[in-house]
Amino acid sequence: MVNKMKKITLICSSLLLATSSAVFAVENHGKAALERANAAAKASDAKEIVKQASAALEHSLSSAIVLKGAPLKHMESASNHLEEAINAGNLGQADQAKTHVNAAITEIQGANS
């Protein structure tokens, strides 16, 4: 009986730790995605926008892996906008890239709230 209780306690503790680690990872990636998207929005040229938007995209995709519901939809939309920003930046269209970056920022904020 005591061994069974120890096993149950160990399993519950492991699940709690895994859940809290996943939440921590999502929060970190969400914050990092927002920081990088903000840096892309402040960038002065298309090359820098692409660099920062690419980093933001990496974090938004990492965050989306464990999100569900409305936050997932927001992060997916943010990822799409970041991809469009990267494409526009690669074509030298900095203004269009910033438009997509700003839309991504709004979506990331929605996912992080």
Side-chain angles (χ1 to χ4, degrees):
M1 182 77 159
V2 172
N3 283 338
K4 208 178 236 187
M5 292 299 287
K6 285 182 181 179
K7 286 181 183 179
I8 291 171
T9 302
L10 180 62
I11 290 170
C12 290
S13 298
S14 298
L15 289 173
L16 182 61
L17 179 62
T19 302
S20 64
S21 295
V23 169
F24 182 71
V26 168
E27 288 177 0
N28 281 344
H29 283 294
K31 287 178 184 176
L34 185 58
E35 288 172 6
R36 291 305 194 115
N38 281 322
K42 295 175 185 171
S44 59
D45 61 50
K47 184 177 177 181
E48 185 64 20
I49 293 170
V50 169
K51 178 183 172 186
Q52 296 297 333
S54 295
L57 176 61
E58 184 178 320
H59 287 292
S60 70
L61 292 173
S62 295
S63 179
I65 290 172
V66 293
L67 291 174
K68 294 181 182 177
L72 174 61
K73 297 292 184 198
H74 282 293
M75 201 59 82
E76 287 174 340
S77 180
S79 297
N80 291 335
H81 282 294
L82 290 167
E83 287 174 349
E84 291 298 323
I86 293 164
N87 291 338
N90 283 332
L91 295 173
Q93 300 169 343
D95 290 339
Q96 186 177 1
K98 282 192 178 191
T99 299
H100 284 292
V101 166
N102 288 326
I105 289 170
T106 301
E107 293 294 344
I108 294 168
Q109 288 170 334
N112 287 347
S113 62

